[in-house]
């Protein structure tokens, strides 16, 4: 019986190899180091059972928040709303594609809501999450969004307002274009040492991962969410 239960749990957590399509870039991944993204597109990532478990906890917390929001009669909520932005780059088009966790309608105003499960609540919204939300705000013509952090261990939360920032939007588009050029020319970007190296799936291929973080890690990891 033990074995059957263990097999069921493993099956529930096993994920297919994730290999995104070149030309389509994801707001959740674009703030990540360019070499890591390059390798994800070229080689794919086989998500370990341990990491898959972390994803699953995140999904359960998302469901918890969705249920809580649905129970309020004054809010209109749309969950997992897809967005696509198309941008001309040279002779080709690239797309920024993602899913907004929720769009809330309050007193006639739409607000983008992004939910993050995290091990320790931050004192301010984290840079890569602020960057991630910009394409959602642009695509849905919203001037502000909210990031809700849910702490995994205690189910406590903290909410931050994030305005649309044109400069950040420019920088995320620039990253998408640079990545696209690297991928289409098969010319990998240079390694960049950062806190991400510690969590990177490709650490064994990079000397940078052995040098230690160049900046302190925020208390959440950059995950691929389409
Ligand atoms: S180990 Fe660091 S430098 Fe190497 S791909 Fe990963 S994030 Fe980039």
């Amino acid at each position: 019986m033990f074995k059957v239960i263990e097999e069921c749990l493993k099956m529930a957590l096993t994920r297919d190899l994730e290999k995104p399509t070149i030309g389509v870039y994801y707001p959740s991944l674009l703030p990540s180091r360019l070499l890591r993204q390059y390798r994800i597109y070229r080689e794919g990532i086989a998500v370990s059972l341990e990491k898959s478990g972390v994803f699953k906890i995140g999904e359960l917390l998302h469901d918890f928040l969705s249920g809580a929001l649905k129970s309020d009669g004054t809010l209109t909520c749309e969950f997992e709303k897809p967005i696509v932005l198309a941008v001309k780059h040279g002779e080709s088009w690239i797309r920024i594609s993602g899913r907004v966790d929720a769009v809330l309608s309050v007193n006639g105003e739409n607000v983008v809501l992004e939910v993050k499960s995290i091990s320790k609540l931050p004192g301010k919204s984290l840079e890569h999450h602020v960057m991630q939300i910009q394409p959602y705000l642009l695509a849905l013509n919203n001037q502000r969004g909210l990031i809700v952090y849910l702490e995994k261990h205690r189910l406590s939360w903290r909410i931050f307002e994030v305005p649309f920032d044109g400069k950040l939007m420019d920088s995320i588009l620039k990253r998408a274009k640079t990545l696209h050029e690297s991928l289409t020319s098969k010319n990998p970007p240079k390694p960049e040492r950062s806190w991400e190296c510690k969590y990177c799936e490709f650490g064994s291929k990079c000397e940078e991962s052995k040098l230690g973080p160049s900046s302190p890690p925020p208390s959440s990891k950059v995950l691929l969410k389409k």
Side-chain angles (χ1 to χ4, degrees):
M1 183 59 85
F2 269 56
K3 216 166 175 206
V4 177
I5 297 170
E6 278 181 358
E7 282 308 312
C8 291
L9 286 169
K10 274 187 201 161
M11 286 279 285
L13 287 179
T14 302
R15 290 177 180 240
D16 293 336
L17 183 83
E18 298 198 33
K19 200 170 178 186
T21 308
I22 294 172
V24 183
Y25 302 100
Y26 300 101
S28 61
L29 195 53
L30 279 168
S32 187
R33 299 295 144 203
L34 289 177
L35 180 57
R36 176 178 173 244
Q37 293 185 66
Y38 179 92
R39 286 182 169 150
I40 289 174
Y41 276 80
R42 282 268 160 234
E43 301 167 33
I45 32 172
V47 180
S48 67
L49 275 188
E50 189 196 344
K51 241 184 185 177
S52 190
V54 175
F55 283 23
K56 196 74 199 166
I57 292 169
E59 285 169 12
L60 292 172
L61 289 178
H62 273 59
D63 291 347
F64 164 75
L65 188 75
S66 308
L69 293 172
K70 276 183 204 158
S71 68
D72 185 298
T74 61
L75 285 175
T76 311
C77 316
E78 197 176 345
F79 297 100
E80 296 293 322
K81 189 177 174 68
I83 62 110
V84 179
L85 292 169
V87 187
K88 191 88 191 268
H89 180 50
E91 289 307 302
S92 56
W93 287 90
I94 58 174
R95 285 169 182 76
I96 311 287
S97 168
R99 269 178 201 280
V100 181
D101 284 335
V103 181
L104 307 183
S105 213
V106 198
N107 300 327
E109 187 196 1
N110 286 341
V111 179
V112 162
L113 187 87
E114 184 62 24
V115 186
K116 299 291 177 197
S117 55
I118 201 157
S119 50
K120 188 167 177 277
L121 291 175
K124 59 179 186 143
S125 47
L126 301 180
E127 215 175 295
H128 52 288
H129 296 151
V130 174
M131 193 181 246
Q132 177 189 343
I133 207 171
Q134 300 303 321
Y136 304 156
L137 295 175
L138 179 65
L140 298 173
N141 195 23
N142 282 188
Q143 284 311 306
R144 66 188 182 112
L146 298 173
I147 301 180
V148 181
Y149 289 99
L150 294 173
E151 194 175 84
K152 289 176 205 159
H153 309 299
R154 297 184 299 155
L155 206 44
S156 50
W157 58 85
R158 205 163 277 169
I159 306 172
F160 297 96
E161 187 171 306
V162 179
F164 177 69
D165 180 332
K167 278 193 187 146
L168 261 186
M169 188 62 226
D170 275 348
S171 76
I172 205 164
L173 284 179
K174 203 168 155 209
R175 291 181 74 74
K177 289 174 183 175
T178 308
L179 179 63
H180 186 69
E181 279 168 19
S182 289
L183 285 164
T184 47
S185 64
K186 298 192 179 165
N187 189 13
K190 286 201 171 65
E192 304 159 89
R193 184 159 65 97
S194 86
W195 60 267
E196 273 187 75
C197 297
K198 191 176 167 202
Y199 306 103
C200 180
E201 305 79 357
F202 306 100
S204 60
K205 298 182 177 182
C206 275
E207 283 303 311
E208 274 65 19
S209 68
K210 296 169 197 140
L211 297 174
S214 62
S215 56
S219 38
S220 85
K221 298 167 197 169
V222 178
L223 306 175
L224 170 58
K225 184 194 77 171
K226 292 178 190 169

